[in-house]
Amino acid sequence: MNTQGAFYRKIFLKSKKEIDKKLTLFSTLKEKRNYLETTLKNEILKSQNEIRLAFNKISCANCGACCNLAVSEFSPETLHYKAQNNDKTAKSFLKTFELYKDNIPPKELLSENIPPEGAYFYHCKKVQFKDGKSFCPVYNERPAVCRNFPDTPLENLPVHCAYNEWKLEYETKALFIKALNDIRHFYLNELCSLNIKKDE
């Protein structure tokens, strides 16, 4: 397990312990479900809003680093397969990005937090540069993957990206949010199964 994976596991276990402690305060399945569906969900949304508000205070520096380092868990073959099966995100991604030769991006784009093995490194086929700044010739029609970048501090950000300070400040909080949400969904499914068995 890599360092980031071990850190997330630690956060996950801590989050599970906190949720388990909260759930012991409720005696009925209905009360537990209400906590998971409403109270915990609202706490998660509040934290997500805090991260988003901090994000909105940052201005893109137009360095073009994100255009030249799009990291995906999917190979071009997998993306093509998804696109052929009407996956709109895959279609949009392939229309904009292409894999670096031998899957090796320029070293100056990688931060110390190098993406895990098995990642694929892509770059935009359309980005242009003028006066040291990036220029997108299709900016108004740019795909969602570009419009939403970075949509979470958990994304792999190029070293020159203006959002790196935001990532450093909120990455741990984003990992807690992810863990809480994953556990919340698991427990809701478990409660649903218990209700079904109870009704049988």
Side-chain angles (χ1 to χ4, degrees), residues 134-194:
S134 67
F135 171 76
C136 177
V138 291
Y139 185 80
N140 292 329
E141 292 81 39
R142 70 195 187 284
V145 67
C146 301
R147 289 178 187 274
N148 299 332
F149 181 89
D151 65 351
T152 165
L154 301 180
E155 283 200 43
N156 290 292
L157 302 187
V159 68
H160 303 300
C161 182
Y163 292 94
N164 262 314
E165 191 175 327
W166 169 76
K167 176 186 174 73
L168 287 171
E169 186 173 350
Y170 289 99
E171 186 171 23
T172 299
K173 189 163 198 167
L175 284 170
F176 268 108
I177 290 171
K178 174 175 169 37
L180 289 170
N181 232 349
D182 287 347
I183 296 162
R184 187 177 80 87
H185 285 297
F186 174 79
Y187 279 167
L188 280 171
N189 287 335
E190 216 176 41
L191 288 176
C192 184
S193 297
L194 285 172

Side-chain angles (χ1 to χ4, degrees), residues 82-107:
K82 286 174 169 284
Q84 287 169 358
N85 286 279
N86 295 317
D87 185 316
K88 290 180 181 178
T89 303
K91 281 182 181 178
S92 174
F93 191 91
L94 287 171
K95 188 177 177 183
T96 307
F97 296 97
E98 64 184 358
L99 189 74
Y100 273 105
K101 186 179 178 182
D102 299 322
N103 195 31
I104 302 172
K107 287 182 181 178

